[in-house]
Amino acid sequence: MNLDKLLNPEQLAAVMHPGGPMMIIAGAGSGKTRVLTYRIAKLLLDGEDAFRILALTFTNKAAREMKERIAQVVGESEAQNIWMGTFHSVFAKILRREADRLGYPSSFTIYDQEDSQKLIRNIIKEMNLDPEIYKPKQIASRISIMKNSLITPRVYRKTIELMEQDMLAKRPEFLQIYINYNDRLFRASAMDFDDLLLKTNELLAKHPDVLMKYQRQFKHILVDEYQDTNHSQYLIVRALGDYYRNIAVVGDDSQSIYSFRGANIQNILNFQKDYPDAAVYKLEQNYRSTKNIVGAGNSLIKHNRIRLEKTLWTGNEEGEKVSVVGAYSDSDEARSIAEDIAETRQRYHLHYKDFAILYRTNSQSRALESALRTYNIPYRIYGGLSFYQRKEIKDVLAYLRLIVNEKDEEALRRIINFPSRKIGQVTMDKLNVLAGRHRLSLFETIEKIDELGAGILNGPTRLRLKNFAVKIRSFQVLSAKVNVYELTKELIKSVKLLEEYRKEGTQEAANRIENIEELINAMAEFIEDQTQLADGDPSLTGFLQHVALLTDLDQDKDNQNVVTLMTVHMSKGLEFPYVYVSGLEENLFPSALSMTSREDLEEERRLLYVAITRAKKRCTLTYARMRYRWGSLYDTEPSRFIDEIDEKFLDRKDLISKTPDYLHADIFDDSPSRPASTSSFKAKSGFSKTIRPKNFKPLSEAKKSTSSIDLKLSEGDRVRHAKFGKGTVMEISGKGDNRQAKVRFDHTGTKTLILRFAKLEIIK
């Protein structure tokens, strides 16, 4: 491995760091993933044990990509042994190993955001509190902030400021909700997402032997996107790295944009205070963007006072100046973007996937969607309701969660009467009282219902409850014999879930059936994926953890040729040749909520910096002089950030001087009895329709292309997979149903596929 030819001098210095703490300040597009990859690869080539390397990322996608790159240098088997993944996935793995130390079973359930909010909603109801004051979503958010700041109920009691905040907000019972919530989680053998960090801190703090065990195991710790770590993550990293002190953090303070999630920019700003002997390496050469785009980003971010000193530069071409386009209204703004995409694509023979439109808030997509449809431009919105958050999918997963962990109360509540078993809310309320009185889980109470519920519930109701418990127990037995794919098929058949939707006879019900069938496909693919991994876990528990830890961008999506629409927050880590940043207006970007403090305003500026530096060839900033908000038109003014960018990098194109084609006579009527109409504006911008993802298809249709067992494959064949894309067959092995193909895919790495599940076709 000739690193001198693979890396620039600054990258090489970081990779060759001899040991001890180091911070890599990596500007946008400067190759930080490349540095991390080769740093780990070098450690392995130097004889370091892969099991002693801990690499923490912020998405599963980033971890997969890094592992694949490392595997190309040191081999797949060695790369698989690295402890690499997101904070939550790695610490969930540790917690499952050490769960008994905290009083949990190793099969504890992980609650997602919706599960947590449902539990909180039930607690608020049981405490007879006003849900308009104690709003479940707000309470859940506050509990999340508490946990990520390591403010347990015990700490809360001692913090007068927090108690005063809740008193002023007229929610004096917040602490009791917090206590009850934690108690119910524990009784359900469940943790929420924030607990994966909080409980890891608790584990390391309460059990010095466990801390020592993992301190000794992880000789090298590498943390990606360090500027996005919160206080809880920061403490875990410090604790684990305290023995060897071989801790390497990589990040860019100028791209710290997640304070609303608890990210603390001070973690990276104060790294040298925590480690006075730390070496600092600056990656300032941008390989992504043109000189004008890099210059525009630099001139903007220099207005931030809170930042580490660095100046990004690039050896790329000068490129086009950053366009600033002012439009009359939000619909005109959207139309100008759609028109420019259509013309640019045709002029330069580009693909739709070369374009991305970024915005500050999701509500901005309405006018953009309308314009793109007008120009027949295909697009996809990232950040909407993800597949695993849909009701029908959550229903099936709730059954599976209950099979794994019968104490999971939220799962039980979700499906005990779906499909209908004539077990209503009155029955559930009585069960809840019995469970609380006897300190039992709901499932334990149901199993003892004849003993505990006589005189409280009638005979037929008790029988229905017992039958439900027997069904769940029977599936627990079955789960030990079959995989999650076969188990779920039998489960859906047994509870007659599809029949329930067919009875509805609506298009929505038909879509739900297709989504459930697609879930079955996903399970088959999950099993297929896990068979190739050294530490693969194809079990039901493994699948549920896989789903719980997924994020929107982590989910594999077909590589369709579409324009990408997303919020700037979601765009971080991505890049596109042509980027449009819309809505550059005061009170929108920067957000009205950021005007109260310098810290918040500087984060908004960092957010625009991230948006600009996503672009490789051209960046266009747009704004409107009028915009719809909550159904009414408001005058706006251009964002202050536009004027902070050095004019030499800008090309202003003002469309506002053009007479709008929807001028109407009402504006000349001064009669006080006749208010001005905005109907003509509204006619220009209809609300977008829900777009059903094209990649979701019925299982019956998917099966036509699922089995490749009879495909005449040879080494060297070029193939296409519905999920992994195009690749080259490296090896064929096995016979019959066990026939497998090892394929190196162009963009998703090497996979070993079971041909009876694979979706392969031979291409030229």
Side-chain angles (χ1 to χ4, degrees):
M1 184 171 67
N2 190 344
L3 293 175
D4 291 337
K5 294 183 178 180
L6 296 170
L7 305 168
N8 67 35
E10 292 77 17
Q11 293 172 332
L12 180 62
V15 169
M16 300 299 291
H17 178 70
M22 73 163 165
M23 176 169 63
I24 303 171
I25 303 172
S30 63
K32 70 177 179 64
T33 303
R34 189 178 187 83
V35 170
L36 277 176
T37 299
Y38 283 113
R39 173 69 180 169
I40 295 172
K42 182 181 182 301
L43 290 172
L44 294 173
L45 291 174
D46 286 347
E48 192 57 78
D49 187 347
F51 286 100
R52 304 194 69 187
I53 297 174
L54 171 63
L56 298 168
T57 65
F58 269 79
T59 66
N60 293 311
K61 180 184 175 188
R64 287 197 302 268
E65 289 177 351
M66 283 179 60
K67 262 191 180 179
E68 178 60 32
R69 294 188 192 182
I70 293 168
Q72 291 174 4
V73 179
V74 302
E76 285 188 48
S77 59
E78 193 65 10
Q80 295 294 343
N81 294 331
I82 303 168
W83 278 65
M84 180 181 289
T86 64
F87 278 85
H88 292 91
S89 63
V90 168
F91 298 140
K93 185 176 179 179
I94 290 176
L95 286 170
R96 290 206 187 279
R97 289 186 172 193
E98 314 291 344
D100 61 309
R101 299 293 195 109
L102 299 175
Y104 286 84
S106 60
S107 61
F108 64 80
T109 299
I110 300 173
Y111 277 18
D112 65 13
Q113 190 176 56
E114 183 182 338
D115 298 321
S116 296
Q117 288 182 19
K118 278 193 170 183
L119 176 54
I120 289 169
R121 188 177 294 112
N122 287 330
I123 291 171
I124 290 169
K125 182 178 180 181
E126 292 161 13
M127 293 176 65
N128 294 316
L129 299 174
D130 186 348
E132 292 302 312
I133 296 176
Y134 293 89
K135 295 181 178 179
K137 190 173 182 179
Q138 291 181 358
I139 296 297
S141 176
R142 187 158 175 78
I143 289 175
S144 177
I145 291 171
M146 296 293 119
K147 289 189 174 185
N148 281 310
S149 301
L150 298 182
I151 299 174
T152 61
R154 192 171 194 176
V155 174
Y156 180 96
R157 285 193 188 95
K158 298 178 181 179
T159 311
I160 296 175
E161 294 84 355
L162 293 174
M163 299 182 73
E164 288 178 345
Q165 286 175 12
D166 285 318
M167 291 297 288
L168 289 171
K170 298 181 179 180
R171 52 185 184 214
E173 295 298 321
F174 169 77
L175 175 59
Q176 194 56 51
I177 296 173
Y178 189 9
I179 292 170
N180 291 348
Y181 173 70
N182 284 343
D183 181 56
R184 292 282 282 276
L185 283 174
F186 185 75
R187 283 164 51 190
S189 297
M191 296 185 192
D192 63 22
F193 237 55
D194 302 311
D195 279 331
L196 297 178
L197 303 178
L198 179 67
K199 295 296 182 183
T200 301
N201 268 299
E202 181 182 344
L203 177 70
L204 301 180
K206 284 186 175 181
H207 302 279
D209 59 319
V210 175
L211 172 59
M212 179 63 73
K213 170 184 173 181
Y214 289 102
Q215 281 181 334
R216 296 288 177 90
Q217 176 168 344
F218 300 131
K219 186 176 179 181
H220 296 274
I221 299 177
L222 302 96
V223 186
D224 193 13
E225 306 287 8
Y226 192 64
Q227 77 279 352
D228 293 332
T229 54
N230 60 35
H231 185 57
S232 188
Q233 292 164 331
Y234 162 79
L235 289 178
I236 295 170
V237 170
R238 279 212 67 182
L240 292 177
D242 201 42
Y243 186 77
Y244 287 108
R245 301 183 81 252
N246 287 323
I247 177 169
V249 302
V250 184
D252 181 7
D253 58 297
S254 296
Q255 297 186 66
S256 179
I257 59 174
Y258 293 121
S259 65
F260 67 97
R261 294 182 186 172
N264 186 356
I265 191 174
Q266 295 300 322
N267 292 345
I268 192 167
L269 295 176
N270 293 334
F271 185 80
Q272 288 174 279
K273 292 182 181 178
D274 293 335
Y275 302 94
D277 57 334
V280 178
Y281 302 93
K282 294 183 180 180
L283 307 184
E284 297 174 300
Q285 182 175 359
N286 178 291
Y287 291 92
R288 174 187 301 155
S289 309
T290 63
K291 284 185 171 68
N292 276 314
I293 292 172
V294 170
N298 282 341
S299 65
L300 171 70
I301 203 64
K302 73 178 183 181
H303 290 276
N304 273 11
R305 294 183 184 177
I306 305 171
R307 59 189 293 261
L308 296 169
E309 194 57 44
K310 65 179 176 301
T311 301
L312 216 57
W313 64 276
T314 183
N316 294 340
E317 63 182 359
E318 198 77 22
E320 300 179 37
K321 290 187 176 183
V322 172
S323 296
V324 178
V325 180
Y328 192 83
S329 70
D330 52 355
S331 57
D332 276 337
E333 176 193 39
R335 192 182 303 116
S336 73
I337 292 173
E339 186 176 26
D340 194 62
I341 290 174
E343 291 180 354
T344 303
R345 174 179 170 271
Q346 187 173 21
R347 183 182 302 121
Y348 299 111
H349 307 289
L350 303 170
H351 300 288
Y352 286 118
K353 64 183 178 182
D354 293 328
F355 299 87
I357 307 174
L358 310 182
Y359 35 79
R360 180 63 182 84
T361 65
N362 278 307
S363 62
Q364 291 172 248
S365 72
R366 175 187 57 80
L368 293 165
E369 289 183 76
S370 179
L372 292 172
R373 287 199 303 272
T374 299
Y375 280 80
N376 293 316
I377 295 174
Y379 66 90
R380 179 189 295 129
I381 295 180
Y382 286 81
L385 192 63
S386 68
F387 179 74
Y388 289 101
Q389 293 298 318
R390 295 172 185 175
K391 179 190 179 300
E392 60 275 18
I393 303 303
K394 297 279 285 184
D395 290 339
V396 177
L397 295 179
Y399 272 104
L400 298 178
R401 281 168 43 184
L402 196 62
I403 291 167
V404 168
N405 173 17
E406 69 269 15
K407 292 183 179 180
D408 188 336
E409 290 191 8
E410 290 310 302
L412 185 148
R413 290 177 188 278
R414 185 180 187 100
I415 49 85
I416 192 169
N417 198 42
F418 186 80
S420 176
R421 298 181 177 87
K422 297 183 179 179
I423 300 173
Q425 190 56 50
V426 173
T427 298
M428 292 306 299
D429 289 342
K430 291 178 179 179
L431 273 177
N432 198 62
V433 171
L434 286 171
R437 181 184 301 164
H438 296 282
R439 300 289 294 174
L440 298 172
S441 71
L442 285 177
F443 194 87
E444 289 170 327
T445 305
I446 290 172
E447 287 194 310
K448 298 182 178 181
I449 198 62
D450 280 339
E451 173 186 345
L452 304 176
I456 299 176
L457 293 169
N458 60 40
T461 299
R462 296 202 304 274
L463 179 61
R464 288 193 288 270
L465 289 169
K466 286 190 295 182
N467 287 342
F468 172 79
V470 169
K471 185 176 289 289
I472 296 301
R473 288 296 188 194
S474 69
F475 278 108
Q476 287 179 333
V477 173
L478 183 62
S479 69
K481 302 176 182 178
V482 300
N483 61 38
V484 62
Y485 171 85
E486 294 167 336
L487 175 72
T488 306
K489 285 201 300 182
E490 184 59 35
L491 170 70
I492 290 170
K493 180 180 177 181
S494 176
V495 302
K496 299 181 179 179
L497 192 58
L498 300 186
E499 285 84 341
E500 183 74 10
Y501 286 121
R502 289 192 182 106
K503 283 190 295 185
E504 292 183 23
T506 64
Q507 182 58 48
E508 182 182 7
N511 291 342
R512 292 189 189 281
I513 291 172
E514 290 179 357
N515 289 338
I516 290 174
E517 291 173 326
E518 185 61 25
L519 176 64
I520 300 297
N521 289 342
M523 289 173 173
E525 292 175 8
F526 169 78
I527 295 169
E528 168 189 296
D529 290 348
Q530 291 300 305
T531 57
Q532 62 162 323
L533 303 174
D535 59 345
D537 180 11
S539 68
L540 172 56
T541 301
F543 178 77
L544 291 176
Q545 177 160 313
H546 162 75
V547 170
L549 296 173
L550 277 175
T551 66
D552 243 12
L553 289 179
D554 288 331
Q555 295 175 39
D556 291 298
K557 304 187 189 295
D558 291 343
N559 185 25
Q560 295 180 354
N561 185 24
V562 295
V563 173
T564 296
L565 276 70
M566 61 171 61
T567 64
V568 181
H569 281 102
M570 289 204 67
S571 74
K572 189 165 175 292
L574 304 178
E575 60 181 38
F576 304 89
Y578 297 85
V579 171
Y580 300 83
V581 188
S582 63
L584 265 294
E585 299 142 29
E586 288 293 292
N587 297 316
L588 180 56
F589 203 166
S591 164
L593 300 176
S594 70
M595 303 300 189
T596 57
S597 73
R598 178 177 298 279
E599 290 77 10
D600 290 342
L601 188 60
E602 292 202 351
E603 176 152 335
E604 289 288 301
R605 190 177 286 113
R606 292 194 295 269
L607 193 58
L608 180 55
Y609 173 81
V610 166
I612 291 172
T613 55
R614 298 311 92 198
K616 299 168 70 175
K617 290 184 174 295
R618 183 201 294 170
C619 180
T620 303
L621 309 179
T622 67
Y623 63 91
R625 282 294 192 178
M626 302 182 77
R627 184 171 296 275
Y628 269 105
R629 291 177 186 166
W630 301 104
S632 300
L633 271 171
Y634 289 88
D635 291 331
T636 64
E637 60 180 287
S639 169
R640 68 189 72 187
F641 294 153
I642 295 175
D643 290 332
E644 291 178 355
I645 301 174
D646 195 315
E647 281 294 329
K648 68 182 180 183
F649 301 116
L650 299 181
D651 176 21
R652 294 180 182 264
K653 301 175 182 178
D654 191 358
L655 304 181
I656 298 172
S657 59
K658 297 181 180 179
T659 303
D661 59 4
Y662 41 78
L663 191 66
H664 51 88
D666 285 4
I667 67 171
F668 303 107
D669 190 343
D670 293 328
S671 171
S673 63
R674 186 180 178 188
S677 170
T678 59
S679 60
S680 57
F681 287 99
K682 292 180 181 179
K684 290 288 177 179
S685 53
F687 284 93
S688 61
K689 296 178 181 179
T690 301
I691 295 179
R692 185 170 169 270
K694 295 179 180 178
N695 57 320
F696 290 138
K697 52 183 176 286
L699 183 60
S700 58
E701 180 183 334
K703 278 188 173 178
K704 294 177 184 177
S705 61
T706 293
S707 181
S708 302
I709 197 164
D710 297 323
L711 206 60
K712 295 180 180 179
L713 285 175
S714 303
E715 292 182 14
D717 281 352
R718 290 287 289 169
V719 294
R720 180 188 290 112
H721 185 276
K723 177 179 177 183
F724 304 126
K726 295 179 181 178
T728 303
V729 177
M730 308 298 291
E731 181 182 326
I732 303 292
S733 61
K735 295 181 179 180
D737 285 351
N738 295 320
R739 192 162 173 250
Q740 299 179 1
K742 186 176 182 180
V743 182
R744 184 179 295 280
F745 290 98
D746 297 348
H747 302 291
T748 53
T750 301
K751 311 288 182 185
T752 300
L753 305 177
I754 301 174
L755 291 180
R756 64 190 172 112
F757 288 129
K759 303 173 184 176
L760 287 177
E761 60 176 306
I762 298 176
I763 59 176
K764 294 183 179 180

